[in-house]
Amino acid sequence: MPKIAYIIVLLIFGLFSFQTKKIESKTKIENQNNVFSDSLNWKILGQIKFVKKKHKEYGEIDFPVINDVLKKKNGKKILMSGFIVPIDNVNYALSKNVFASCFFCGKAGPETIMGIKFKAGKMKLKTDQYVTLEGNFRVNENNVEDWIYHIEDATIVKGN
């Protein structure tokens, strides 16, 4: 009889151990969902419309119309992943596509790229380096000489 009692105690202990791991795992998933609920992706950024308006220097051009989902995220902390594209010797952009297929090459629209302002200032990054950035999201609907989307006070959280 003591052998059966010993086996029952082991089974009960094993079941409780498994249940605890299950609860810990669920908590981690819930925490991740909280973190990623304010994140963006290229599909959401691509849900943009353009309207033709007169511009005093360029004539009639397309201006972006930012959707309400993105407007609500304006000024909020977000996570965003993409490829690093150099703009010049100091500045970078985050792109949906690698450099060979990016916005500058004519194979994508302006909604597939974001201007980056790093919290640390000047950074040394490689072209097409895939990173996840954390920073403050900003939209631009009016200045045609600036990016439509920005990530400011950015830090690299993955991919460095």
Side-chain angles (χ1 to χ4, degrees):
M1 190 73 164
K3 207 175 198 180
I4 292 175
Y6 179 72
I7 291 172
I8 290 173
V9 168
L10 282 175
L11 285 172
I12 291 172
F13 179 73
L15 288 174
F16 281 115
S17 295
F18 180 74
Q19 183 64 31
T20 303
K21 286 180 183 176
K22 212 175 185 181
I23 291 169
E24 287 173 8
S25 177
K26 186 176 180 184
T27 304
K28 286 179 185 176
I29 291 168
E30 287 171 1
N31 287 341
Q32 285 177 350
N33 286 340
N34 289 337
V35 170
F36 292 111
S37 66
D38 285 328
S39 295
L40 291 178
N41 60 53
W42 295 108
K43 184 176 180 180
I44 294 169
L45 293 179
Q47 295 171 355
I48 188 170
K49 294 182 181 177
F50 293 90
V51 63
K52 290 203 179 292
K53 290 184 186 178
K54 291 237 183 226
H55 188 274
K56 61 183 172 186
E57 290 181 43
Y58 302 117
E60 190 172 88
I61 60 170
D62 289 334
F63 279 81
V65 178
I66 308 296
N67 66 49
D68 290 338
V69 171
L70 294 175
K71 283 183 180 179
K72 288 178 185 174
K73 291 186 182 287
N74 191 38
K76 297 203 171 145
K77 190 170 288 266
I78 54 110
L79 289 174
M80 187 67 191
S81 297
F83 297 95
I84 293 293
V85 174
I87 304 305
D88 54 32
N89 291 337
V90 180
N91 298 300
Y92 298 96
L94 190 68
S95 176
K96 174 183 179 182
N97 305 308
V98 295
F99 186 72
S101 300
C102 77
F103 168 61
F104 305 113
C105 299
K107 296 181 182 178
E111 71 280 0
T112 64
I113 199 156
M114 298 178 86
I116 306 171
K117 286 203 190 322
F118 285 103
K119 192 178 213 176
K122 294 181 182 178
M123 301 283 288
K124 186 76 172 164
L125 301 169
K126 295 177 183 170
T127 301
D128 292 339
Q129 179 178 345
Y130 190 80
V131 296
T132 299
L133 302 177
E134 179 180 59
N136 298 319
F137 180 62
R138 182 172 64 84
V139 296
N140 165 38
E141 287 184 290
N142 302 312
N143 185 354
V144 296
E145 295 180 358
D146 196 6
W147 308 113
I148 297 171
Y149 305 122
H150 294 265
I151 185 163
E152 298 175 336
D153 292 326
T155 57
I156 299 174
V157 295
K158 189 175 178 184
N160 191 9

